[in-house]
mmCIF file of all heavy atoms in Angstrom:
data_model
loop_
_atom_site.group_PDB
_atom_site.id
_atom_site.type_symbol
_atom_site.label_atom_id
_atom_site.label_comp_id
_atom_site.label_asym_id
_atom_site.label_seq_id
_atom_site.Cartn_x
_atom_site.Cartn_y
_atom_site.Cartn_z
ATOM 1 N N ALA Z 329 98.725 79.493 113.629
ATOM 2 C CA ALA Z 329 97.558 80.274 113.234
ATOM 3 C C ALA Z 329 97.164 79.976 111.790
ATOM 4 O O ALA Z 329 95.974 79.822 111.475
ATOM 5 C CB ALA Z 329 97.839 81.767 113.413
ATOM 6 N N LEU Z 330 98.158 79.861 110.907
ATOM 7 C CA LEU Z 330 97.854 79.541 109.512
ATOM 8 C C LEU Z 330 97.293 78.130 109.360
ATOM 9 O O LEU Z 330 96.386 77.892 108.553
ATOM 10 C CB LEU Z 330 99.111 79.688 108.658
ATOM 11 C CG LEU Z 330 99.428 81.086 108.126
ATOM 12 C CD1 LEU Z 330 100.753 81.081 107.377
ATOM 13 C CD2 LEU Z 330 98.315 81.610 107.227
ATOM 14 N N VAL Z 331 97.826 77.201 110.141
ATOM 15 C CA VAL Z 331 97.351 75.816 110.067
ATOM 16 C C VAL Z 331 95.887 75.720 110.504
ATOM 17 O O VAL Z 331 95.064 75.091 109.818
ATOM 18 C CB VAL Z 331 98.243 74.878 110.909
ATOM 19 C CG1 VAL Z 331 97.594 73.500 111.052
ATOM 20 C CG2 VAL Z 331 99.625 74.744 110.275
ATOM 21 N N VAL Z 332 95.544 76.354 111.638
ATOM 22 C CA VAL Z 332 94.146 76.286 112.093
ATOM 23 C C VAL Z 332 93.240 77.066 111.149
ATOM 24 O O VAL Z 332 92.059 76.732 110.979
ATOM 25 C CB VAL Z 332 93.975 76.776 113.548
ATOM 26 C CG1 VAL Z 332 94.777 75.916 114.502
ATOM 27 C CG2 VAL Z 332 94.347 78.241 113.710
ATOM 28 N N PHE Z 333 93.797 78.089 110.490
ATOM 29 C CA PHE Z 333 93.047 78.834 109.474
ATOM 30 C C PHE Z 333 92.679 77.903 108.312
ATOM 31 O O PHE Z 333 91.530 77.885 107.851
ATOM 32 C CB PHE Z 333 93.906 80.000 108.989
ATOM 33 C CG PHE Z 333 93.215 80.944 108.035
ATOM 34 C CD1 PHE Z 333 92.388 81.952 108.506
ATOM 35 C CD2 PHE Z 333 93.407 80.838 106.667
ATOM 36 C CE1 PHE Z 333 91.766 82.839 107.634
ATOM 37 C CE2 PHE Z 333 92.797 81.703 105.785
ATOM 38 C CZ PHE Z 333 91.968 82.713 106.266
ATOM 39 N N LEU Z 334 93.650 77.104 107.859
ATOM 40 C CA LEU Z 334 93.393 76.160 106.775
ATOM 41 C C LEU Z 334 92.412 75.070 107.196
ATOM 42 O O LEU Z 334 91.521 74.688 106.431
ATOM 43 C CB LEU Z 334 94.711 75.524 106.321
ATOM 44 C CG LEU Z 334 95.665 76.441 105.555
ATOM 45 C CD1 LEU Z 334 97.003 75.732 105.332
ATOM 46 C CD2 LEU Z 334 95.069 76.854 104.227
ATOM 47 N N ILE Z 335 92.585 74.579 108.427
ATOM 48 C CA ILE Z 335 91.643 73.576 108.937
ATOM 49 C C ILE Z 335 90.229 74.154 108.959
ATOM 50 O O ILE Z 335 89.258 73.487 108.586
ATOM 51 C CB ILE Z 335 92.066 73.107 110.349
ATOM 52 C CG1 ILE Z 335 93.372 72.306 110.264
ATOM 53 C CG2 ILE Z 335 90.960 72.269 110.988
ATOM 54 C CD1 ILE Z 335 93.967 71.972 111.619
ATOM 55 N N GLY Z 336 90.126 75.418 109.380
ATOM 56 C CA GLY Z 336 88.827 76.080 109.396
ATOM 57 C C GLY Z 336 88.203 76.153 108.013
ATOM 58 O O GLY Z 336 86.991 75.972 107.850
ATOM 59 N N ARG Z 337 89.032 76.413 106.992
ATOM 60 C CA ARG Z 337 88.525 76.460 105.615
ATOM 61 C C ARG Z 337 87.904 75.114 105.225
ATOM 62 O O ARG Z 337 86.833 75.054 104.618
ATOM 63 C CB ARG Z 337 89.666 76.806 104.666
ATOM 64 C CG ARG Z 337 90.010 78.294 104.603
ATOM 65 C CD ARG Z 337 89.132 79.010 103.577
ATOM 66 N NE ARG Z 337 89.283 80.437 103.677
ATOM 67 C CZ ARG Z 337 90.143 81.159 102.952
ATOM 68 N NH1 ARG Z 337 90.941 80.535 102.101
ATOM 69 N NH2 ARG Z 337 90.174 82.462 103.073
ATOM 70 N N TRP Z 338 88.602 74.025 105.566
ATOM 71 C CA TRP Z 338 88.097 72.693 105.216
ATOM 72 C C TRP Z 338 86.821 72.383 105.987
ATOM 73 O O TRP Z 338 85.857 71.844 105.430
ATOM 74 C CB TRP Z 338 89.154 71.634 105.498
ATOM 75 C CG TRP Z 338 90.395 71.803 104.678
ATOM 76 C CD1 TRP Z 338 90.495 72.322 103.422
ATOM 77 C CD2 TRP Z 338 91.734 71.457 105.075
ATOM 78 N NE1 TRP Z 338 91.801 72.328 103.005
ATOM 79 C CE2 TRP Z 338 92.592 71.802 103.994
ATOM 80 C CE3 TRP Z 338 92.294 70.897 106.214
ATOM 81 C CZ2 TRP Z 338 93.970 71.600 104.034
ATOM 82 C CZ3 TRP Z 338 93.670 70.686 106.254
ATOM 83 C CH2 TRP Z 338 94.495 71.038 105.188
ATOM 84 N N VAL Z 339 86.811 72.710 107.265
ATOM 85 C CA VAL Z 339 85.627 72.472 108.091
ATOM 86 C C VAL Z 339 84.430 73.234 107.541
ATOM 87 O O VAL Z 339 83.313 72.698 107.437
ATOM 88 C CB VAL Z 339 85.899 72.868 109.559
ATOM 89 C CG1 VAL Z 339 84.610 72.867 110.373
ATOM 90 C CG2 VAL Z 339 86.919 71.913 110.187
ATOM 91 N N CYS Z 340 84.654 74.492 107.168
ATOM 92 C CA CYS Z 340 83.552 75.312 106.662
ATOM 93 C C CYS Z 340 83.045 74.817 105.314
ATOM 94 O O CYS Z 340 81.844 74.897 105.036
ATOM 95 C CB CYS Z 340 83.991 76.772 106.561
ATOM 96 S SG CYS Z 340 84.227 77.550 108.175
ATOM 97 N N THR Z 341 83.936 74.296 104.482
ATOM 98 C CA THR Z 341 83.506 73.724 103.206
ATOM 99 C C THR Z 341 82.498 72.599 103.451
ATOM 100 O O THR Z 341 81.501 72.471 102.726
ATOM 101 C CB THR Z 341 84.718 73.177 102.428
ATOM 102 O OG1 THR Z 341 85.618 74.253 102.162
ATOM 103 C CG2 THR Z 341 84.282 72.546 101.108
ATOM 104 N N PHE Z 342 82.728 71.810 104.502
ATOM 105 C CA PHE Z 342 81.786 70.747 104.884
ATOM 106 C C PHE Z 342 80.497 71.329 105.473
ATOM 107 O O PHE Z 342 79.395 70.920 105.119
ATOM 108 C CB PHE Z 342 82.459 69.806 105.882
ATOM 109 C CG PHE Z 342 81.538 68.787 106.481
ATOM 110 C CD1 PHE Z 342 81.148 67.666 105.758
ATOM 111 C CD2 PHE Z 342 81.045 68.949 107.767
ATOM 112 C CE1 PHE Z 342 80.288 66.726 106.308
ATOM 113 C CE2 PHE Z 342 80.191 68.020 108.326
ATOM 114 C CZ PHE Z 342 79.806 66.896 107.583
ATOM 115 N N LEU Z 343 80.641 72.332 106.363
ATOM 116 C CA LEU Z 343 79.477 72.876 107.068
ATOM 117 C C LEU Z 343 78.525 73.626 106.145
ATOM 118 O O LEU Z 343 77.333 73.743 106.450
ATOM 119 C CB LEU Z 343 79.939 73.801 108.203
ATOM 120 C CG LEU Z 343 80.634 73.120 109.385
ATOM 121 C CD1 LEU Z 343 81.101 74.160 110.390
ATOM 122 C CD2 LEU Z 343 79.716 72.105 110.059
ATOM 123 N N PHE Z 344 79.041 74.144 105.017
ATOM 124 C CA PHE Z 344 78.173 74.870 104.092
ATOM 125 C C PHE Z 344 77.090 73.972 103.496
ATOM 126 O O PHE Z 344 76.112 74.468 102.937
ATOM 127 C CB PHE Z 344 79.001 75.504 102.968
ATOM 128 C CG PHE Z 344 79.581 76.848 103.325
ATOM 129 C CD1 PHE Z 344 80.936 77.102 103.147
ATOM 130 C CD2 PHE Z 344 78.778 77.858 103.840
ATOM 131 C CE1 PHE Z 344 81.473 78.335 103.486
ATOM 132 C CE2 PHE Z 344 79.305 79.091 104.169
ATOM 133 C CZ PHE Z 344 80.654 79.334 103.996
ATOM 134 N N ARG Z 345 77.264 72.658 103.624
ATOM 135 C CA ARG Z 345 76.223 71.745 103.178
ATOM 136 C C ARG Z 345 74.984 71.855 104.060
ATOM 137 O O ARG Z 345 73.867 71.522 103.631
ATOM 138 C CB ARG Z 345 76.717 70.301 103.210
ATOM 139 C CG ARG Z 345 77.928 70.008 102.330
ATOM 140 C CD ARG Z 345 78.344 68.552 102.498
ATOM 141 N NE ARG Z 345 79.553 68.229 101.756
ATOM 142 C CZ ARG Z 345 80.130 67.033 101.762
ATOM 143 N NH1 ARG Z 345 79.579 66.045 102.473
ATOM 144 N NH2 ARG Z 345 81.242 66.813 101.068
ATOM 145 N N TYR Z 346 75.162 72.293 105.293
ATOM 146 C CA TYR Z 346 74.083 72.270 106.286
ATOM 147 C C TYR Z 346 73.674 73.662 106.767
ATOM 148 O O TYR Z 346 72.613 73.803 107.371
ATOM 149 C CB TYR Z 346 74.520 71.435 107.498
ATOM 150 C CG TYR Z 346 74.989 70.043 107.123
ATOM 151 C CD1 TYR Z 346 76.349 69.742 107.043
ATOM 152 C CD2 TYR Z 346 74.076 69.040 106.816
ATOM 153 C CE1 TYR Z 346 76.786 68.469 106.688
ATOM 154 C CE2 TYR Z 346 74.496 67.770 106.457
ATOM 155 C CZ TYR Z 346 75.850 67.482 106.394
ATOM 156 O OH TYR Z 346 76.279 66.224 106.026
ATOM 157 N N PHE Z 347 74.494 74.681 106.534
ATOM 158 C CA PHE Z 347 74.200 76.025 107.022
ATOM 159 C C PHE Z 347 74.259 77.027 105.876
ATOM 160 O O PHE Z 347 75.121 76.923 104.997
ATOM 161 C CB PHE Z 347 75.210 76.461 108.090
ATOM 162 C CG PHE Z 347 75.164 75.670 109.360
ATOM 163 C CD1 PHE Z 347 75.974 74.547 109.523
ATOM 164 C CD2 PHE Z 347 74.318 76.024 110.400
ATOM 165 C CE1 PHE Z 347 75.956 73.816 110.690
ATOM 166 C CE2 PHE Z 347 74.287 75.292 111.577
ATOM 167 C CZ PHE Z 347 75.104 74.179 111.730
ATOM 168 N N ALA Z 348 73.354 77.987 105.904
ATOM 169 C CA ALA Z 348 73.416 79.090 104.950
ATOM 170 C C ALA Z 348 74.649 79.939 105.254
ATOM 171 O O ALA Z 348 75.068 80.033 106.420
ATOM 172 C CB ALA Z 348 72.158 79.942 105.051
ATOM 173 N N PRO Z 349 75.256 80.561 104.253
ATOM 174 C CA PRO Z 349 76.476 81.342 104.478
ATOM 175 C C PRO Z 349 76.336 82.406 105.574
ATOM 176 O O PRO Z 349 77.220 82.545 106.426
ATOM 177 C CB PRO Z 349 76.737 81.983 103.115
ATOM 178 C CG PRO Z 349 76.149 81.032 102.136
ATOM 179 C CD PRO Z 349 74.930 80.477 102.811
ATOM 180 N N ALA Z 350 75.225 83.140 105.575
ATOM 181 C CA ALA Z 350 75.057 84.202 106.572
ATOM 182 C C ALA Z 350 74.983 83.634 107.982
ATOM 183 O O ALA Z 350 75.524 84.206 108.932
ATOM 184 C CB ALA Z 350 73.809 85.031 106.268
ATOM 185 N N ARG Z 351 74.295 82.496 108.139
ATOM 186 C CA ARG Z 351 74.191 81.881 109.470
ATOM 187 C C ARG Z 351 75.556 81.390 109.951
ATOM 188 O O ARG Z 351 75.925 81.575 111.120
ATOM 189 C CB ARG Z 351 73.188 80.725 109.451
ATOM 190 C CG ARG Z 351 73.019 80.029 110.819
ATOM 191 C CD ARG Z 351 71.946 78.970 110.758
ATOM 192 N NE ARG Z 351 70.631 79.551 110.621
ATOM 193 C CZ ARG Z 351 69.908 80.007 111.661
ATOM 194 N NH1 ARG Z 351 70.399 79.957 112.885
ATOM 195 N NH2 ARG Z 351 68.715 80.508 111.452
ATOM 196 N N LEU Z 352 76.319 80.756 109.059
ATOM 197 C CA LEU Z 352 77.642 80.268 109.439
ATOM 198 C C LEU Z 352 78.578 81.433 109.756
ATOM 199 O O LEU Z 352 79.380 81.362 110.691
ATOM 200 C CB LEU Z 352 78.221 79.412 108.310
ATOM 201 C CG LEU Z 352 79.260 78.362 108.718
ATOM 202 C CD1 LEU Z 352 78.725 77.424 109.784
ATOM 203 C CD2 LEU Z 352 79.718 77.559 107.493
ATOM 204 N N LEU Z 353 78.454 82.528 109.001
ATOM 205 C CA LEU Z 353 79.242 83.725 109.288
ATOM 206 C C LEU Z 353 78.907 84.265 110.667
ATOM 207 O O LEU Z 353 79.796 84.691 111.415
ATOM 208 C CB LEU Z 353 78.977 84.787 108.216
ATOM 209 C CG LEU Z 353 79.733 86.107 108.361
ATOM 210 C CD1 LEU Z 353 81.236 85.892 108.278
ATOM 211 C CD2 LEU Z 353 79.279 87.102 107.282
ATOM 212 N N MET Z 354 77.640 84.230 111.037
ATOM 213 C CA MET Z 354 77.215 84.698 112.350
ATOM 214 C C MET Z 354 77.823 83.830 113.454
ATOM 215 O O MET Z 354 78.363 84.341 114.445
ATOM 216 C CB MET Z 354 75.687 84.679 112.447
ATOM 217 C CG MET Z 354 75.139 85.175 113.778
ATOM 218 S SD MET Z 354 73.335 85.049 113.864
ATOM 219 C CE MET Z 354 73.121 83.270 113.883
ATOM 220 N N ILE Z 355 77.776 82.509 113.279
ATOM 221 C CA ILE Z 355 78.310 81.585 114.285
ATOM 222 C C ILE Z 355 79.809 81.803 114.476
ATOM 223 O O ILE Z 355 80.314 81.889 115.598
ATOM 224 C CB ILE Z 355 78.017 80.124 113.888
ATOM 225 C CG1 ILE Z 355 76.504 79.861 113.922
ATOM 226 C CG2 ILE Z 355 78.754 79.145 114.808
ATOM 227 C CD1 ILE Z 355 76.094 78.542 113.295
ATOM 228 N N PHE Z 356 80.528 81.914 113.372
ATOM 229 C CA PHE Z 356 81.981 82.074 113.459
ATOM 230 C C PHE Z 356 82.374 83.466 113.953
ATOM 231 O O PHE Z 356 83.439 83.632 114.545
ATOM 232 C CB PHE Z 356 82.624 81.754 112.105
ATOM 233 C CG PHE Z 356 82.925 80.292 111.916
ATOM 234 C CD1 PHE Z 356 81.897 79.351 111.863
ATOM 235 C CD2 PHE Z 356 84.220 79.837 111.816
ATOM 236 C CE1 PHE Z 356 82.160 78.003 111.709
ATOM 237 C CE2 PHE Z 356 84.505 78.485 111.662
ATOM 238 C CZ PHE Z 356 83.469 77.559 111.607
ATOM 239 N N SER Z 357 81.522 84.462 113.730
ATOM 240 C CA SER Z 357 81.783 85.794 114.288
ATOM 241 C C SER Z 357 81.704 85.759 115.814
ATOM 242 O O SER Z 357 82.537 86.358 116.503
ATOM 243 C CB SER Z 357 80.781 86.812 113.735
ATOM 244 O OG SER Z 357 80.903 86.942 112.342
ATOM 245 N N VAL Z 358 80.705 85.055 116.330
ATOM 246 C CA VAL Z 358 80.585 84.899 117.790
ATOM 247 C C VAL Z 358 81.799 84.163 118.338
ATOM 248 O O VAL Z 358 82.351 84.525 119.385
ATOM 249 C CB VAL Z 358 79.278 84.158 118.145
ATOM 250 C CG1 VAL Z 358 79.245 83.811 119.630
ATOM 251 C CG2 VAL Z 358 78.065 84.999 117.755
ATOM 252 N N LEU Z 359 82.244 83.121 117.629
ATOM 253 C CA LEU Z 359 83.428 82.366 118.040
ATOM 254 C C LEU Z 359 84.668 83.269 118.045
ATOM 255 O O LEU Z 359 85.486 83.218 118.976
ATOM 256 C CB LEU Z 359 83.634 81.186 117.088
ATOM 257 C CG LEU Z 359 84.697 80.148 117.472
ATOM 258 C CD1 LEU Z 359 84.358 79.494 118.805
ATOM 259 C CD2 LEU Z 359 84.806 79.084 116.378
ATOM 260 N N ALA Z 360 84.803 84.119 117.038
ATOM 261 C CA ALA Z 360 85.944 85.042 116.969
ATOM 262 C C ALA Z 360 85.928 86.024 118.129
ATOM 263 O O ALA Z 360 86.973 86.334 118.725
ATOM 264 C CB ALA Z 360 85.923 85.800 115.638
ATOM 265 N N ILE Z 361 84.744 86.514 118.471
ATOM 266 C CA ILE Z 361 84.614 87.439 119.597
ATOM 267 C C ILE Z 361 85.034 86.755 120.893
ATOM 268 O O ILE Z 361 85.749 87.333 121.718
ATOM 269 C CB ILE Z 361 83.162 87.959 119.686
ATOM 270 C CG1 ILE Z 361 82.864 88.897 118.497
ATOM 271 C CG2 ILE Z 361 82.915 88.682 121.014
ATOM 272 C CD1 ILE Z 361 81.398 89.231 118.332
ATOM 273 N N ALA Z 362 84.627 85.499 121.066
ATOM 274 C CA ALA Z 362 84.977 84.757 122.284
ATOM 275 C C ALA Z 362 86.487 84.536 122.377
ATOM 276 O O ALA Z 362 87.105 84.744 123.431
ATOM 277 C CB ALA Z 362 84.235 83.428 122.313
#
Side-chain angles (χ1 to χ4, degrees):
L330 274 176
V331 169
V332 299
F333 186 82
L334 289 173
I335 292 172
R337 280 274 170 93
W338 297 329
V339 170
C340 290
T341 299
F342 172 77
L343 291 177
F344 275 129
R345 300 178 184 179
Y346 306 101
F347 294 92
R351 180 176 290 277
L352 205 56
L353 180 62
M354 181 183 68
I355 294 169
F356 273 64
S357 298
V358 172
L359 189 61
I361 290 168

